[in-house]
Amino acid sequence: MTAKQTIESGKAIMGIEFGSTRIKAVLIDEENKPIAQGSHEWENQLVDGLWTYSTEAIWYGLQDCYADLRRDVQRQYDCEIDSLAAIGFSAMMHGYMAFNENREILVPFRTWRNTNTGKAAAELSKLFNYNIPLRWSISHLYQCILDNNEHVADIRYLTTLAGYVHWQVTGQFVLGVGDASGMIPVDPKTKTYDAEMVRKFDELVAPKGYSWKLLDILPKSLNAGADAGFLTPEGAKRLDVSGHLKAGIPVCPPEGDAGTGMVATNAVKQRTGNVSAGTSSFSMIVLEKELSRPYEMIDMVTTPDGSLVAMVHCNNCTSDLNAWVGLFKEYQQLLGVPVDMNEVFGKLYNHALTGDADCGGLVSYNYISGEPVTGLEEGRPLFVRSANDRFNLANFMRAHLYASVGVLKIGNDILLKEEMIRVDRITGHGGLFKTKGVGQRVLAAAINSPISVMETAGEGGAWGIALLAAYAVNNTDGLSLADYLENVVFAGNTGVEIVPTAEDVAGFERYIENYKRCLPIEQCAVDNKR
């Protein structure tokens, strides 16, 4: 079929992902290739000291993104989207969305970016003997309990952003196992919430006398490919305000952006991994066995089919780097030179590779917000140099590129150097890799491992959740998710690989030692509210 015939016959599949700065929709054909896309730009808001997106912004963003997809279909193929073979919704993981029995949100959505849950996360980590990150839903819930928030007694539903959108358009209160594992730990054997940890939590909060127990308010955890409901008539109207989209379309289990990143990079099999690098960054390494002990900077989550994954999550990645590139854009405009941002990024990124392997001693901290891996509750973007450092443009840009994956390196050094985890393939995706070869080379040096990038890397999580939707309806041979991706979607394609050089690896090691030694400067800036 042509793309137009696929759309008109209702055989296209749609994935929509809510990212930190953009909501993206991707339409794929029967060969899993993207044929149309739409997007909507949005930003989180700091309200009463907490990062949030309003429910109005969520629904307006979803509707505008879908409308943009419709326009792209009309522009390319001169046809309308009336029906689809399947739909999938994905979003930023973790956070806190609590609702009462009338399904009304009790407090504004608290995103993964918030770091006010330190006391709760520490107490739960000790109780469970398991690292519970600040951003996980259970940390947010327990922090609300510690803070004696009145709304906690009224909770009847607790979910993530992806789970919320899916629930509203299908009526099904469910969650993909990968996203569920960012609420409270999941047992890889049962593919659902860890029963012993649930029991301990219920005992911990029992003196409060709440009418609910934890499993009463959590969404049902579903494995990839499971039945997760259908688009209701109300859901169809809420998604497509034009009224063309029909109800009854199957919707796959909603997943988090970590899970869709694994799918989009063919990294759900054991001994594979991926790195997503954009506004935030995270690495996902699919393990063969449990780690020897809990680590505060390593989160244990699962793939969308329930395999154990070691996740290093960093709150900051390219935001500060982009701000500096924006400064050079302003300078170019001041000179009256036409600005092509792709050219600006390309020139600066590639020039960075001509700099010293250790950035000439320059150090950058890209901390727009707090960074739990390095123990910072708040962030202050900083650039640090001494009078004797080699201060030039190439080293300046290289230092900011290194900073974008510096925290990621600190976390992965534990996995690769201390735990001796073996990885056969690591794939990169996200905005850092858009300039060909540069982000790839920087990441390869950071973690001393070959890094592959696929042509589809730019499609990201929206494509990943579309593939999960395709798996749910097209896996007629009963393949595992790993085999479906390997044999059906990617058919052996592993992308273009860059191997780190000894010089780059040694240079990054010198940079990261400077980075660690100068962390007290960053802490001082936070402590003094500068």
Side-chain angles (χ1 to χ4, degrees):
M1 283 189 181
T2 65
K4 179 181 174 76
Q5 290 170 329
T6 299
I7 295 167
E8 289 182 327
S9 63
K11 294 185 177 179
I13 291 174
M14 181 178 69
I16 294 183
E17 180 159 280
F18 291 75
S20 301
T21 59
R22 185 170 65 145
I23 304 170
K24 184 176 180 181
V26 169
L27 212 60
I28 63 173
D29 62 15
E30 291 181 286
E31 295 181 344
N32 301 302
K33 294 177 181 175
I35 54 176
Q37 66 177 31
S39 66
H40 170 81
E41 304 293 325
W42 72 338
E43 286 286 348
N44 53 193
Q45 304 295 319
L46 189 62
V47 178
D48 296 330
L50 295 171
W51 292 104
T52 187
Y53 301 86
S54 68
T55 52
E56 292 80 10
I58 292 168
W59 291 108
Y60 175 76
L62 176 63
Q63 291 161 0
D64 188 55
C65 178
Y66 183 81
D68 194 45
L69 175 69
R70 282 184 61 235
R71 286 191 292 272
D72 190 42
V73 167
Q74 290 162 354
R75 182 168 53 249
Q76 287 196 72
Y77 309 114
D78 191 29
C79 64
E80 182 58 72
I81 306 172
D82 292 316
S83 188
L84 295 162
I87 298 173
F89 295 102
S90 175
M92 301 166 279
M93 289 179 70
H94 322 299
Y96 183 78
M97 296 193 82
F99 302 84
N100 63 19
E101 61 184 7
N102 297 321
R103 304 189 177 189
E104 298 164 333
I105 196 162
L106 291 167
V107 291
F109 168 36
R110 298 177 181 181
T111 78
W112 57 271
R113 199 170 193 175
N114 291 295
T115 55
N116 64 307
T117 55
K119 182 174 174 57
E123 289 188 14
L124 291 175
S125 296
K126 184 177 180 180
L127 177 69
F128 297 156
N129 191 31
Y130 202 95
N131 179 44
I132 304 299
L134 302 180
R135 66 189 181 280
W136 278 18
S137 304
I138 196 70
S139 296
H140 283 278
L141 174 62
Y142 189 48
Q143 190 65 51
C144 289
I145 292 171
L146 291 176
D147 294 341
N148 293 311
N149 288 179
E150 292 182 0
H151 78 268
V152 176
D154 297 325
I155 296 176
R156 293 298 176 270
Y157 304 94
L158 181 65
T159 189
T160 65
L161 178 54
Y164 167 65
V165 173
H166 181 97
W167 176 35
Q168 297 299 298
V169 301
T170 66
Q172 300 298 309
F173 192 62
V174 299
L175 203 57
V177 62
D179 205 4
S181 69
M183 296 195 77
I184 185 172
V186 159
D187 183 342
K189 298 183 182 69
T190 64
K191 316 293 187 188
T192 191
Y193 307 108
D194 187 285
E196 181 63 13
M197 294 185 198
V198 168
R199 182 189 65 77
K200 286 182 177 180
F201 183 85
D202 284 337
E203 287 182 358
L204 177 67
V205 303
K208 293 288 186 178
Y210 298 130
S211 62
W212 51 263
K213 290 196 173 182
L214 191 57
L215 291 184
D216 297 335
I217 63 174
L218 293 179
K220 182 181 180 182
S221 173
L222 296 178
N223 219 19
D227 178 7
F230 298 84
L231 190 67
T232 63
E234 296 77 17
K237 291 175 186 175
R238 206 159 189 194
L239 176 59
D240 179 14
V241 294
S242 75
H244 287 89
L245 190 64
K246 294 182 175 66
I249 300 167
V251 187
C252 73
E255 264 300 345
D257 51 359
T260 58
M262 286 186 274
V263 171
T265 53
N266 191 19
V268 300
K269 187 176 288 187
Q270 291 180 356
R271 292 178 58 138
T272 64
N274 82 93
V275 169
S276 173
T279 305
S280 62
S281 69
F282 51 82
S283 63
M284 313 288 292
I285 307 296
V286 188
L287 303 178
E288 296 178 281
K289 58 183 177 64
E290 296 260 7
L291 299 182
S292 63
R293 64 179 181 86
Y295 293 91
E296 188 175 350
M297 58 281 291
I298 297 172
D299 310 342
M300 303 306 294
V301 292
T302 77
T303 63
D305 60 350
S307 292
L308 197 63
V309 176
M311 178 183 191
V312 177
H313 184 280
C314 312
N315 283 357
N316 304 279
C317 185
T318 59
S319 293
D320 190 46
L321 177 59
N322 292 344
W324 283 107
V325 173
L327 198 69
F328 290 113
K329 169 194 168 185
E330 285 188 43
Y331 176 67
Q332 194 167 330
Q333 289 172 325
L334 193 64
L335 294 177
V337 179
V339 175
D340 178 334
M341 287 309 292
N342 288 330
E343 183 181 19
V344 174
F345 273 102
K347 291 281 189 185
L348 289 171
Y349 277 30
N350 280 289
H351 186 58
L353 297 184
T354 68
D356 297 319
D358 63 355
C359 308
L362 311 182
V363 175
S364 172
Y365 295 97
N366 60 340
Y367 296 1
I368 301 292
S369 62
E371 195 58 81
V373 172
T374 48
L376 274 295
E377 291 188 6
E378 296 180 40
R380 299 290 185 275
L382 285 179
F383 173 67
V384 181
R385 70 184 179 102
S386 70
N388 296 324
D389 291 336
R390 288 172 50 80
F391 183 49
N392 56 44
L393 181 60
N395 283 339
F396 179 81
M397 288 306 302
R398 190 162 185 145
H400 283 86
L401 282 164
Y402 276 22
S404 66
V405 295
V407 179
L408 200 67
K409 172 180 172 56
I410 292 170
N412 275 278
D413 279 352
I414 293 171
L415 293 174
L416 303 177
K417 294 180 180 180
E418 295 184 29
E419 288 285 336
M420 304 300 289
I421 298 299
R422 295 183 179 275
V423 186
D424 297 328
R425 183 180 73 239
I426 296 179
T427 307
H429 69 115
L432 183 65
F433 304 104
K434 285 185 178 179
T435 299
K436 189 174 181 180
V438 179
Q440 206 173 344
R441 178 173 159 184
V442 167
L443 181 61
I447 60 178
N448 192 17
S449 171
I451 303 296
S452 296
V453 171
M454 300 181 185
E455 289 182 10
T456 50
E459 302 298 341
W463 185 55
I465 191 63
L467 295 180
L468 285 171
Y471 177 69
V473 295
N474 291 337
N475 183 29
T476 54
D477 294 332
L479 298 174
S480 69
L481 178 60
D483 287 343
Y484 181 83
L485 294 173
E486 187 76 34
N487 301 325
V488 177
V489 177
F490 293 95
N493 175 26
T494 57
V496 177
E497 184 179 84
I498 286 183
V499 176
T501 67
E503 181 185 7
D504 281 353
V505 171
F508 209 120
E509 290 292 343
R510 291 194 297 275
Y511 173 87
I512 210 68
E513 288 308 311
N514 281 339
Y515 185 100
K516 291 177 185 176
R517 280 197 296 269
C518 293
L519 273 169
I521 302 174
E522 174 72 20
Q523 185 65 62
C524 184
V526 171
D527 291 342
N528 290 280
K529 306 298 182 185
R530 298 300 299 167

